[in-house]
Amino acid sequence: MLLHIKYTLTAVAVGFVLDMLLGDPHGLYHPVQAIGKWISLAETALRKILPKNKSGERLGGICLVILVTGVSTALPWAALWVLYQFHWVAGLAVESFMCYQLLAARSLKDESMKVYERLAEGDLAGGRYAVSMIVGRDTENLTEEGVTKAAVETVAENASDGVLAPLFYMMIGGAVPGFAYKSINTMDSMVGYQNDRYRYFGTAAALLDDLVNFIPARLSAVIMTLASFFCGLDGRRAWRIFFRDRRNHASPNSAHTEAVMAGALGIRLAGDAWYFGKLHKKKTIGDACRPVEAEDIPRANRLLMTTAWLALLIFGGIRLGIMLLW
């Protein structure tokens, strides 16, 4: 039984609007924090139990995926099952709140705009600090162009990971598959690294994240390309750069929306970056039709928000059509 699947569209729509209006209020409980703590606890326990060799770490990574995804999915399923059995209004209210917390469009916009505000004031140090809150790379030596590119890139990449991908899965089955996706995505962000600590332990999480993002990443790129026409950006170039540069990333999914963003804005993104004091060589994405400027951050956010609303209409329309045919 998939809970009260007939309420899925309403719960997701209400959650989407709440995210757009409220973002992530500081101090409010957030499920990703709980998932992150569970990942850390499970990792610590598994590392103590299993052999400290290549095979043991790979097995530990598989067990981590099973434990984290299982618990992160089962708990909201159980809570919603009880609430819907009690009264559909209670179930719908809580599921709508869950859907709201699984989306991150408003918070992504707000955090990236803090970078823009600092740069607009001429505060490069403040811009470096603000962008360090939303990216994983080293930021202390970034130029204004580097800070701007980092902000635009994280808006582009997280348009899929933080907005359209969870929206896609929630439209399928409500908050429960949304939690499953979020747990996988959070695991990848915590353990899916090619470093000494996670080279083998993080393999399962990284591969599963690639799998669950395969379709959403490509849908996100197509919808973002359509949205660029509504934003007055270059949709034709966005489409061309998407096809040309969508594979210019170590991840099979990350470059898709970055390529669309670069094409729509007419700038070059990606390239070499420093992480934890080590230079990582990366391919570039897009063409430098003009210099990168701070104003590209609000342009990127306009494209993000338009893409999110367009995705809601497209996914919601498909969901409604399925419900009517069912």
Side-chain angles (χ1 to χ4, degrees):
M1 175 178 161
L2 294 175
L3 302 173
H4 283 57
I5 200 71
K6 61 183 178 181
Y7 300 122
T8 296
L9 180 57
T10 302
V12 176
V14 171
F16 183 93
V17 172
L18 286 174
D19 175 59
M20 288 293 185
L21 292 175
L22 304 176
D24 291 331
H26 292 291
L28 182 67
Y29 155 80
H30 200 284
V32 173
Q33 294 175 331
I35 292 171
K37 289 180 180 178
W38 173 224
I39 292 169
S40 296
L41 288 171
E43 178 188 351
T44 301
L46 289 167
R47 286 186 181 277
K48 288 180 179 179
I49 296 170
L50 296 170
K52 294 176 175 57
N53 54 35
K54 179 178 176 180
S55 298
E57 292 204 353
R58 285 196 187 279
L59 177 59
I62 294 171
C63 292
L64 181 75
V65 166
I66 294 170
L67 286 171
V68 172
T69 307
V71 171
S72 300
T73 305
L75 290 179
W77 183 91
L80 289 175
W81 186 85
V82 171
L83 288 166
Y84 274 118
Q85 293 299 312
F86 173 70
H87 198 286
W88 69 268
V89 174
L92 178 59
V94 173
E95 186 166 19
S96 298
F97 183 75
M98 287 178 173
C99 291
Y100 152 55
Q101 291 198 300
L102 292 171
L103 294 167
R106 176 62 184 272
S107 62
L108 179 58
K109 176 186 175 183
D110 289 348
E111 294 302 313
S112 59
M113 285 303 292
K114 290 178 183 177
V115 181
Y116 170 72
E117 290 162 4
R118 300 289 83 74
L119 294 180
E121 294 168 355
D123 181 8
L124 179 56
R128 288 169 175 163
Y129 175 78
V131 83
S132 73
M133 298 292 101
I134 56 175
V135 301
R137 72 191 67 180
D138 299 341
T139 62
E140 58 269 17
N141 295 316
L142 289 179
T143 62
E144 180 174 332
E145 177 181 332
V147 170
T148 302
K149 284 175 60 177
V152 171
E153 286 165 18
T154 200
V155 169
E157 184 174 353
N158 285 288
S160 179
D161 289 1
V163 186
L164 270 73
L167 185 62
F168 171 78
Y169 283 106
M170 287 190 294
M171 278 296 183
I172 293 174
V176 174
F179 270 101
Y181 170 79
K182 209 66 178 179
S183 67
I184 294 167
N185 191 240
T186 305
M187 264 189 295
D188 180 61
S189 68
M190 291 180 66
V191 307
Y193 295 101
Q194 285 295 317
N195 56 24
D196 292 340
R197 179 175 177 82
Y198 293 116
R199 188 176 308 279
Y200 305 115
F201 192 89
T203 300
L207 290 175
L208 184 57
D209 184 72
D210 288 343
L211 179 63
V212 299
N213 277 298
F214 188 86
I215 293 175
R218 286 148 184 82
L219 288 175
S220 297
V222 172
I223 295 172
M224 183 178 283
T225 301
L226 293 174
S228 65
F229 288 100
F230 293 98
C231 293
L233 300 174
D234 197 330
R236 291 181 180 274
R237 185 170 55 210
W239 190 249
R240 177 172 59 82
I241 298 299
F242 163 61
F243 269 97
R244 192 191 74 187
D245 293 349
R246 67 188 188 278
R247 296 188 180 93
N248 287 6
H249 200 286
S251 164
N253 302 315
S254 295
H256 289 71
T257 46
E258 283 191 47
V260 174
M261 181 70 75
L265 296 178
I267 60 176
R268 178 171 292 156
L269 297 174
D272 299 348
W274 290 83
Y275 293 86
F276 306 107
K278 183 178 179 180
L279 179 63
H280 289 249
K281 306 294 288 185
K282 295 183 175 183
K283 294 180 180 179
T284 58
I285 296 173
D287 295 326
C289 301
R290 60 172 178 79
V292 175
E293 59 184 12
E295 289 298 324
D296 286 318
I297 300 175
R299 291 182 189 122
N301 278 304
R302 188 167 74 250
L303 182 54
L304 163 70
M305 301 305 271
T306 305
T307 301
W309 280 104
L310 188 56
L312 178 71
L313 292 176
I314 293 172
F315 294 163
I318 294 172
R319 174 74 203 182
L320 182 60
I322 291 172
M323 288 170 62
L324 293 175
L325 291 173
W326 195 270

